[in-house]
Every structure is written in C-alpha cells, then in structure tokens.
Amino acid sequence: LSTFAQSSAPTLQVATEPTFPPFEMQDQATGELSGFDIDLMTAIGEAAKLNIEFVSLPFDGIIPALQSKTMDAAISGMTITAERAQTVSFSRPYFKAGLAIAVQEDNTSIKNFSDLEGKQIAVQIGSTGAQEASTIEGANISSFDSASLALQELINGKVDAVVNDGPVTLYAIRQAGLQGVKVVGELVTEEYYGIAMPKDSPYLNDINNALELLIQDGRYRAIYQTWFAG
Ligand code: ARG
C-alpha cells in the first residue's frame, strides 16, 4: 500500500479556453489540445513532477472555477491584472503581450485607440480587451465567446474593429491565413500572462520554480521557437 501512495504524483486539473491560437487550440475531430501554453504547462508538469489534466472551460468561467477550487490552475493566455489578483494567485509572468486593434484591410479612418470612439467593436467576453473597450466613449461593444468569433464579425463587416491580444490577432493573420483584416497602430496596452491558481494554492512555488528552471535551461526558448519562429 505504501508503495502505491509514493508512486502517485498529484494530478492537477488545469483549465484553458482553447480558441486562442497559438496559445491554446483544440483539434475539432480529435479534441486534442495544442499550443504554446499547452506545451509550457506540460513541461512544467514534467519539471515539477505533477500530472497535468487539461479541462476546457469558457474564458469567463475560469476565475470562478479557481475560486471554488474546482480547478487547480489555469493557463489560458491570461493577463495578470490587479483586479484578478484579488481573487486568484498568479505565477511569475511567462509571456509579454498587449492589446492590438484590428480593422478591415481597406479601413483608413481607424489608426489608433482614440479613433474607436463611437464605433462598433467586437471583443472576447471577460477579456482584458473587453475591459479596455468598455472605456471607449460612445462605442457599441459586442462580446463573443472567442477571439476568433470576434474576428469573424469584423471580416463579415458587422463591426468596425476588434480589440484583442496582439500575438493572437497577428498569428491569425500571418500564420492561420485570416484574410481581409489588418492590425493598426501601436499596442494599446502592455500585458503579462501568468498561470492562475486558487489563492492559497499549494502548487504556486512548485510552478514558479519549474517555470524558472525551464527559462534557465532553454526548454522555454524551444517551446517559444515552436510557436513563434518566423
Ligand atoms: N489576455 C486576455 C485576458 O487575459 C485574453 C485571454 C483569452 N484567453 C483565451 N484562452 N481565450 O483577458
């Protein structure tokens, strides 16, 4: 009996909202998850001797699931914010991102954030993009379950702009072949992604130490190259 107990590493239920390539995506046919966050969390599990079990959740359901401890952690391109840090704990930052504005390719009137006043804007529900867009004077905001649905709304000409994480919008255009849209202006914000956990998580130190190790020994770099090279 004691040998059984010893050999079992803890299994962490790790939430993600998998419509956010290249950070997390799901194969429609097989259900298989892939992406930068998936590779990184898998490597963290190996380094910290934790079994990782990914669970797909709607983005706005992730923080409540951590608060209720239904989930042990979440990796989901989630920006570390002061507001979220009141209810969950974050690992050290693992990726620098920021919000970008996307418009239709032939749009010449929207060049920066202040040009969004009074415009129709699509965002992903519960995201920092949604929060930022809500501060724009007179803007009409439509919220979608995923960033890709928000971008589709722009392609369909139903909105003037999308406010979404820059690396994700750029990946959609450059790597996934999304056509008819472009990114304009500078990044609207500077944001850092962190792995979120319940407030008093016993895994915070293990996860931070593993992240540190992966950054030191080049495994982080290798994962970065896989998803962001070229
Ligand atoms: N970085 C943004 C945020 O934290 C958007 C993250 C959306 N992530 C996702 N997997 N859908 O609000």
Side-chain angles (χ1 to χ4, degrees):
L1 275 171
S2 60
T3 18
F4 274 123
Q6 266 175 8
S7 64
S8 60
T11 296
L12 270 63
Q13 307 264 95
V14 179
T16 192
E17 191 288 308
T19 63
F20 208 60
F23 293 96
E24 40 267 333
M25 47 207 150
Q26 190 158 28
D27 186 288
Q28 296 290 343
T30 65
E32 201 190 324
L33 292 168
S34 64
F36 177 86
D37 283 351
I38 305 303
D39 286 354
L40 184 63
M41 197 67 215
T42 302
I44 288 171
E46 280 161 21
K49 299 202 168 39
L50 298 166
N51 295 315
I52 305 299
E53 206 170 285
F54 291 104
V55 179
S56 298
L57 287 185
F59 191 69
D60 61 351
I62 290 179
I63 287 186
L66 293 170
Q67 284 184 279
S68 67
K69 300 198 173 119
T70 312
M71 291 292 133
D72 298 300
I75 189 159
S76 201
M78 187 182 283
T79 303
I80 300 170
T81 68
E83 194 189 334
R84 289 171 180 165
Q86 287 178 359
T87 54
V88 297
S89 293
F90 281 102
S91 70
R92 54 152 292 163
Y94 69 83
F95 196 93
K96 183 181 170 189
L99 296 173
I101 301 162
V103 298
Q104 283 200 338
E105 211 148 49
D106 55 6
N107 182 309
T108 50
S109 61
I110 298 173
K111 295 190 189 71
N112 56 51
F113 198 66
S114 55
D115 296 331
L116 294 176
E117 280 185 17
K119 294 286 193 278
Q120 312 255 58
I121 301 166
V123 296
Q124 175 171 21
I125 200 163
S127 67
T128 47
Q131 202 163 9
E132 203 64 26
S134 72
T135 67
I136 303 167
E137 193 103 16
N140 191 348
I141 316 288
S142 0
S143 304
F144 294 87
D145 285 340
S146 73
S148 37
L149 287 172
L151 287 166
Q152 196 52 54
E153 195 77 350
L154 176 62
I155 289 169
N156 295 345
K158 304 261 180 59
V159 294
D160 302 302
V162 167
V163 179
N164 181 44
D165 296 46
V168 171
T169 299
L170 287 173
Y171 184 89
I173 295 169
R174 292 180 186 161
Q175 253 81 34
L178 190 72
Q179 288 191 5
V181 301
K182 63 181 179 187
V183 165
V184 289
E186 311 264 296
L187 287 182
V188 177
T189 54
E190 184 175 291
E191 304 188 5
Y192 293 86
Y193 296 163
I195 297 165
M197 284 158 271
K199 263 286 178 201
D200 49 1
S201 170
Y203 302 114
L204 179 63
N205 285 335
D206 290 346
I207 287 178
N208 272 333
N209 291 340
L211 253 177
E212 206 62 56
L213 176 69
L214 299 173
I215 291 167
Q216 300 295 323
D217 72 9
R219 276 182 280 176
Y220 176 96
R221 178 105 205 118
I223 295 169
Y224 183 90
Q225 295 286 2
T226 303
W227 296 102
F228 294 99

